[in-house]
Amino acid sequence: MMSAPFLVTLIFLVLPPLLTCVNVTPFPPDGKPTVALLLMVRDESHNLRTNLPLWNAPDSAAPFFDAFVIAVDDRTIDDTREAIGEITAGTPTHMFDYTFEGFGPARTLVFEETWKKFPHITHLLVGDPDWKPNLSLINKSDLDEEHHTYQFKIWDRNGVTTRNCNWLMRNREGLHYDYYVHEFLRFPDGGPFVEDQKNLAWEVAEAESDSSWHQTVGHGDKKGASRTFKRFLFDISLLLQEQEDP
Ligand SMILES: *[C@@H]1O[C@H](CO)[C@@H](O)[C@H](O)[C@H]1NC(C)=O
Ligand SMILES: *[C@@H]1O[C@H](CO)[C@@H](O)[C@H](O)[C@H]1NC(C)=O
């Protein structure tokens, strides 16, 4: 028989970790994870039409993503909204316009909208329309209940270098991104923490397209516009804005 003081101590030891997990989406009884793709897009009709369908294996009856949350930059001038309507047909989709005020704030808004519309979805992938997935390495069963973030590999546009990314996570309330440029993922409890991360074999490859927002904005009229001088000036303007932001 445990003594009362010991029990009280035990309860306090157990409570704090439980409390921090309150707002994580529970895993479904069938043990099957569900994934929402979160995107923010501007003049990405071409990339969306080319790359999004690649996630669905030809031999699979069910589409890879269980939901889409897509924020469309209100300066979009191509047929991005029509493309999204066509590609996401049959899958629960929340598409909305937003006014760009930095990458971190925009992606945080997408998290907030996701939590409002799809709180039951177990995992979120914060992606880019120019990603081509390598389906031979991507297996939804790799996503579990215990881990908070999942690391995967992104091949850079040059096709040679790679970087690791943890923008795949359990769905929870209060997810947000810090910073206007090179946004950084944050959890309400101070995470994500490395010990809660699972390293996946998943890989995606960034593909440069000559018809994306870099062209309509005027970052350059040839291939490689995402790495042009004008694009870097754009990033610098955001960094300066961030510096002034109290
Ligand atoms: C996908 O990954 C496999 C295993 O690393 C590799 O052999 C294959 O070339 C990759 N496919 C593409 C399209 O990159
Ligand atoms: C995906 O992973 C599960 C669990 O590890 C495994 O049973 C299944 O065969 C894998 N699917 C493919 C296509 O590799």
Side-chain angles (χ1 to χ4, degrees):
M1 185 73 188
M2 289 184 202
S3 70
F6 178 74
L7 266 180
V8 170
T9 312
L10 193 69
I11 285 167
F12 275 99
L13 279 177
V14 167
L15 263 182
L18 281 181
L19 280 176
T20 61
C21 298
V22 162
N23 289 329
V24 179
T25 298
F27 226 59
D30 68 2
K32 289 205 176 114
T34 47
V35 186
L37 178 66
L38 278 49
L39 296 173
M40 39 179 283
V41 296
R42 174 177 183 185
D43 296 333
E44 293 286 9
S45 164
H46 175 80
N47 272 332
L48 289 166
R49 287 183 200 276
T50 312
N51 300 327
L52 265 198
L54 300 178
W55 286 89
N56 300 324
D59 54 352
S60 169
F64 184 86
F65 292 112
D66 302 280
F68 293 98
V69 183
I70 308 182
V72 180
D73 190 304
D74 56 14
R75 297 164 296 180
T76 289
I77 55 171
D78 74 356
D79 67 333
T80 285
R81 295 177 189 85
E82 292 73 20
I84 292 168
E86 288 161 28
I87 299 160
T88 64
T91 301
T93 299
H94 176 41
M95 174 170 68
F96 58 95
D97 275 25
Y98 76 100
T99 302
F100 184 85
E101 285 167 3
F103 286 100
R107 291 204 194 272
T108 298
L109 175 66
V110 180
F111 275 146
E112 288 165 359
E113 291 294 312
T114 305
W115 185 252
K116 269 190 238 161
K117 298 280 176 182
F118 302 116
H120 59 283
I121 294 278
T122 64
H123 291 76
L124 313 178
L125 174 63
V126 180
D128 270 327
D130 63 355
W131 286 2
K132 293 185 188 296
N134 186 331
L135 282 199
S136 67
L137 302 169
I138 294 175
N139 187 339
K140 230 160 134 175
S141 309
D142 294 338
L143 305 177
D144 55 20
E145 179 164 15
E146 305 82 65
H147 293 90
H148 295 184
T149 50
Y150 302 80
Q151 183 170 275
F152 56 97
K153 188 184 280 184
I154 303 174
W155 286 87
D156 297 318
R157 288 188 188 85
N158 58 30
V160 179
T161 55
T162 64
R163 60 188 199 271
N164 292 323
C165 183
N166 67 349
W167 289 9
L168 174 55
M169 72 286 297
R170 290 278 274 121
N171 193 10
R172 68 178 64 217
E173 188 173 17
L175 291 168
H176 58 280
Y177 279 96
D178 282 342
Y179 309 126
Y180 287 25
V181 194
H182 303 305
E183 57 275 37
F184 192 88
L185 176 66
R186 288 277 185 214
F187 287 179
D189 65 356
F193 302 108
V194 177
E195 54 273 26
D196 298 326
Q197 177 169 291
K198 183 177 182 184
N199 296 329
L200 303 180
W202 294 23
E203 292 182 8
V204 299
E206 277 179 350
E208 186 85 60
S209 147
D210 54 8
S211 45
S212 75
W213 71 281
H214 296 295
Q215 277 68 32
T216 54
V217 167
H219 286 161
D221 56 359
K222 298 194 186 74
K223 277 202 179 289
S226 64
R227 286 169 285 153
T228 56
F229 179 65
K230 282 188 180 164
R231 168 60 204 262
F232 294 141
L233 286 181
F234 170 76
D235 284 351
I236 289 169
S237 74
L238 283 178
L239 286 169
L240 290 173
Q241 193 184 328
E242 177 158 302
Q243 221 176 12
E244 286 162 16
D245 201 7

